[in-house]
Amino acid sequence: MAKQVVTEIKVQVPGGQATPAPPVGTALGPHGVNIGQFVQQFNDQTRELNGMICPTVITVFNDRSFTFVIKSPPAAVLLKQAAKIAKGSGSPKDTKVGTVTKEQVLEIAKTKYEDLNAGSLEQASKIIEGTARSMGLEVAK
C-alpha cells in the first residue's frame, strides 16, 4: 500500500544553513516530522549554495516520513546578486538602483527555467526582465 500524503509544506531556507529554529521547526513540528533528520539532509544537499535562499517543498506522509524538493533560488535574489545591490527600490518607477545586462538576465532565466511557467527561454527571459523592472533595476541592451 502506498504512503498517504498528509500535507505539503513550503519554506524558504538558506542553503547549507538550516537549523531547527523557525521557519523549519515551526513548519515541521506540528506534523511530527523528525526535524533534525530534515535539517541534516537539507544541509548536505545544499552545502554548495552557501546561504543562498532555497525554496523547498516538503511532502509529509502519514507515517511521519518525508521527502523534499529543492527549487531554484528566487529570481529577485539572483537579480540582486547579478546587480551587486543589497535590496530593490522602494519606488521602482522613480528610483533605479542598478543595472543588469541581457546576458545576465538570460543566465538567470536558464537557472530558473525549470521552475518558471514559460514555453521557451525567450519567454523566461521576459519574466525575469519584468521582475528586474519591478525591483527598480534597468535592463541594459
Side-chain angles (χ1 to χ4, degrees):
M1 187 165 106
K3 295 180 184 179
Q4 185 179 5
V5 174
V6 174
T7 188
E8 277 191 352
I9 303 166
K10 295 179 182 179
V11 292
Q12 291 192 359
V13 186
Q17 298 176 1
T19 63
V24 175
T26 55
L28 297 179
H31 302 289
V33 173
N34 184 337
I35 298 168
Q37 183 181 6
F38 169 77
V39 167
Q40 182 180 10
Q41 290 178 15
F42 179 84
N43 287 340
D44 288 344
Q45 289 186 22
T46 60
R47 195 155 317 284
E48 69 279 351
L49 293 174
N50 296 328
M52 187 173 288
I53 298 295
C54 300
T56 306
V57 179
I58 307 161
T59 305
V60 180
F61 299 101
N62 59 350
D63 63 351
R64 296 184 180 176
S65 62
F66 64 90
T67 60
F68 61 95
V69 177
I70 301 166
K71 305 283 187 172
S72 59
V77 171
L78 296 172
L79 284 165
K80 285 192 296 188
Q81 189 177 30
K84 295 179 178 69
I85 59 172
K87 65 178 195 170
S89 174
S91 56
K93 260 188 165 179
D94 304 326
T95 310
K96 301 297 179 189
V97 292
T99 305
V100 289
T101 64
K102 287 272 191 189
E103 292 80 29
Q104 289 173 317
V105 168
L106 186 62
E107 284 302 311
I108 294 170
K110 287 177 184 175
T111 303
K112 295 281 303 168
Y113 187 72
E114 298 264 330
D115 296 330
L116 291 174
N117 187 16
S120 70
L121 205 53
E122 266 183 50
Q123 291 172 337
S125 292
K126 287 182 181 180
I127 292 171
I128 302 300
E129 285 178 22
T131 303
R133 282 192 297 273
S134 70
M135 291 175 61
L137 293 173
E138 291 185 32
V139 180
K141 302 289 180 215

